[in-house]
Amino acid sequence: MSTTQDMPTGESIQLESPDFLADPFGVYDHLRRNSPVHRATMSYIGNAELYVLARYHDCVDLTTDPRFRRVVEGAEPPPVPQAIRFLSTDSMIYKDDPEHLRLRNLVSRAFTPKAIATLTDRVEAVTSELLDGFRRGQQIELITDYALPIPVTVISEMVGVDESDRARFHDGMKLIIDGVTTYDLEALAAKFEDLIDFLRGVIDRRRAEPADDIMTGLIHASQDGDRLTDDELVAMVFLLISAGYETTYNLISNGVAALLTHPDQLELLITNPELIGSAVEEILRYTGTIGGTKPNYATEDVEWHGVHIPRGAMVVPLLASANRDPAVFDRPEVFDITRSPNYHIAFSKGPHFCLGANLARMETRIAIGNLIARFPDLTLAVDPSELQYVPVPLWRRLTRLPITLR
């Protein structure tokens, strides 16, 4: 790919190219100014051509435009083994209304105020326990020592996994997140079969022995006599893991990194801890943790900003680009934890707005708030220039974040 400065308007972007991965925000800026609807490719979806949207209002419009759907006859994703479908086409996020609305309504019934309050108490307890194990002057790897154990514990308890099975379930989490980049589809499907059998066992136990957890709520969720099938329950657990696990620990890690590389904002938050909610919203906007959504498909030929999008083509809104659009955000390149209003779309908009958004916000708010309250003088243990990101398109995931607790 050409550099950001001289990239021809019509040239397709390879979303896994070193240039893009090294500076996605520079590419986003170029696209917003010069080519707001642009062709791109990505090997994770078979190098099929897709179109990306770079401007805020276009990304928002896409979420409610009836010309774009998650499933279009003749334009479905390539067939995959049955076990993989729990992570792909069987997942709620790959469906359109009315089926999507049916699943969303049933699932939302499990996320009761009481269930969320219980999870909030558990996040407070887990973060306190982790922090109790640290000492001043100690260097820790924030991702593995702090950020990661929080969603691992929360999701394990949401799903109702017994303590003795946590290690196996954690391996399943890593398989869902990293399996596509580690194994071919047939090998991954075989490993998924074991995980699916394990989850069916968890469902059977919770059906026989109800508990005060999300899994029990999902099992018993009902609307006019309609309930989730066992396959739909398994698909929902896959979605909880893929959305709630990776998003949350990356959000915590990226948030701490943003604060440590903007010491004025860290000091402001330490002095005014009531700003933690606003700080989390700015972390969501600024860090680009969630770069885009699952593809939508054009149901007809569409002309958008002079670009012809053929029927059946995939279209992806670049959320991380939209969240730095100067047409919407004043000084978008500035990290400002007091930013108001902050109309970011890190969790998308419309029917597919992230169902777990409030849970991710809550975990991040508590994790970062408690960390800096306990160790207000914490610092990066490396030069900021040494921070690197995993080369995965449309995600911002640090490889490591060593910090010193003070």
Side-chain angles (χ1 to χ4, degrees):
M1 190 186 82
S2 305
T3 64
T4 301
Q5 289 75 21
D6 61 8
M7 182 176 68
T9 300
E11 181 179 337
S12 181
I13 297 174
Q14 222 299 325
L15 296 178
E16 294 142 305
S17 72
D19 285 347
F20 177 80
L21 294 174
D23 182 23
F25 292 109
V27 175
Y28 295 154
D29 178 64
H30 175 90
L31 293 178
R32 285 193 304 269
R33 289 184 289 107
N34 301 289
S35 186
V37 179
H38 201 93
R39 293 182 299 115
T41 59
M42 186 164 58
S43 67
Y44 292 147
I45 54 176
N47 280 320
E49 189 168 76
L50 58 100
Y51 294 79
V52 292
L53 307 180
R55 292 178 182 168
Y56 181 95
H57 291 297
D58 292 331
C59 291
V60 171
D61 289 345
L62 178 71
T63 65
T64 56
D65 192 324
R67 297 175 299 175
F68 298 93
R69 294 174 64 83
R70 289 290 166 95
V71 179
V72 175
E73 185 179 352
E76 293 87 353
V80 297
Q82 176 63 39
I84 306 294
R85 288 176 56 188
F86 285 106
L87 187 60
S88 57
T89 55
D90 284 356
S91 175
M92 183 174 70
I93 60 175
Y94 285 92
K95 297 183 182 296
D96 296 303
D97 292 341
E99 182 61 12
H100 169 263
L101 182 60
R102 168 190 167 261
L103 291 171
R104 191 179 182 95
N105 284 343
L106 284 171
V107 170
S108 64
R109 290 173 179 269
F111 287 82
T112 63
K114 181 180 179 181
I116 297 300
T118 299
L119 290 173
T120 301
D121 291 341
R122 286 297 295 138
V123 174
E124 289 280 7
V126 170
T127 55
S128 293
E129 182 178 343
L130 290 168
L131 293 169
D132 286 345
F134 302 147
R135 66 182 187 279
R136 294 188 185 279
Q138 178 183 0
Q139 180 177 317
I140 66 169
E141 172 44 64
L142 185 106
I143 297 174
T144 55
D145 294 341
Y146 186 66
L148 193 56
I150 297 169
V152 166
T153 301
V154 168
I155 292 175
S156 297
E157 295 186 0
M158 286 173 65
V159 174
V161 177
D162 293 337
E163 192 71 39
S164 59
D165 289 326
R166 293 287 170 86
R168 182 179 177 187
F169 185 58
H170 188 198
D171 288 342
M173 287 188 188
K174 291 189 290 186
L175 181 67
I176 289 175
I177 299 302
D178 296 322
V180 174
T181 60
T182 306
Y183 305 100
D184 61 46
L185 283 181
E186 293 301 327
L188 182 60
K191 290 182 175 295
F192 269 6
E193 290 288 0
D194 290 338
L195 177 59
I196 291 166
D197 288 343
F198 170 75
L199 292 176
R200 291 192 192 282
V202 172
I203 292 168
D204 288 342
R205 286 196 301 274
R206 274 295 172 262
R207 185 172 281 122
E209 301 174 9
D212 191 17
D213 55 34
I214 297 293
M215 176 60 85
T216 300
L218 291 172
I219 290 170
H220 294 285
S222 175
Q223 185 172 27
D224 299 326
D226 184 24
R227 294 182 184 273
L228 296 171
T229 67
D230 280 7
D231 281 357
E232 289 169 342
L233 288 168
V234 171
M236 185 51 56
V237 174
F238 274 47
L239 178 57
L240 287 173
I241 293 171
S242 60
Y245 168 75
E246 184 171 33
T247 299
T248 302
Y249 87 76
N250 284 323
L251 195 56
I252 294 168
S253 303
N254 290 347
V256 172
L259 288 165
L260 289 176
T261 53
H262 296 82
D264 60 322
Q265 297 300 294
L266 176 58
E267 180 60 32
L268 181 60
L269 183 56
I270 291 169
T271 306
N272 302 275
E274 70 277 5
L275 288 174
I276 186 61
S278 175
V280 170
E281 298 307 309
E282 182 67 347
I283 288 164
L284 282 159
R285 184 199 71 84
Y286 179 82
T287 63
T289 300
I290 310 161
T293 71
K294 301 299 182 186
N296 295 270
Y297 294 84
T299 62
E300 60 185 72
D301 289 355
V302 176
E303 292 289 327
W304 206 333
H305 291 297
V307 176
H308 176 72
I309 302 175
R311 181 189 183 280
M314 288 180 282
V315 183
V316 174
L318 298 175
L319 305 182
S321 174
N323 287 334
R324 292 201 183 189
D325 190 337
V328 177
F329 301 97
D330 181 44
R331 301 183 305 151
E333 303 303 319
V334 174
F335 181 63
D336 177 9
I337 66 169
T338 67
R339 183 178 297 275
S340 180
N342 190 345
Y343 299 124
H344 70 78
I345 54 171
F347 292 115
S348 192
K349 297 275 285 186
H352 285 278
F353 177 79
C354 179
L355 190 64
N358 287 336
L359 183 60
R361 285 177 164 121
M362 177 269 287
E363 292 181 68
T364 304
R365 184 178 67 248
I366 293 173
I368 294 179
N370 288 352
L371 173 67
I372 63 175
R374 187 78 66 93
F375 300 103
D377 297 319
L378 77 170
T379 58
L380 274 175
V382 296
D383 187 86
S385 64
E386 296 182 41
L387 297 179
Q388 297 182 337
Y389 293 88
V390 177
V392 177
L394 305 186
W395 277 98
R396 293 287 278 176
R397 184 201 303 177
L398 285 160
T399 57
R400 55 192 292 264
L401 183 60
I403 67 171
T404 303
L405 303 172
R406 304 182 188 280

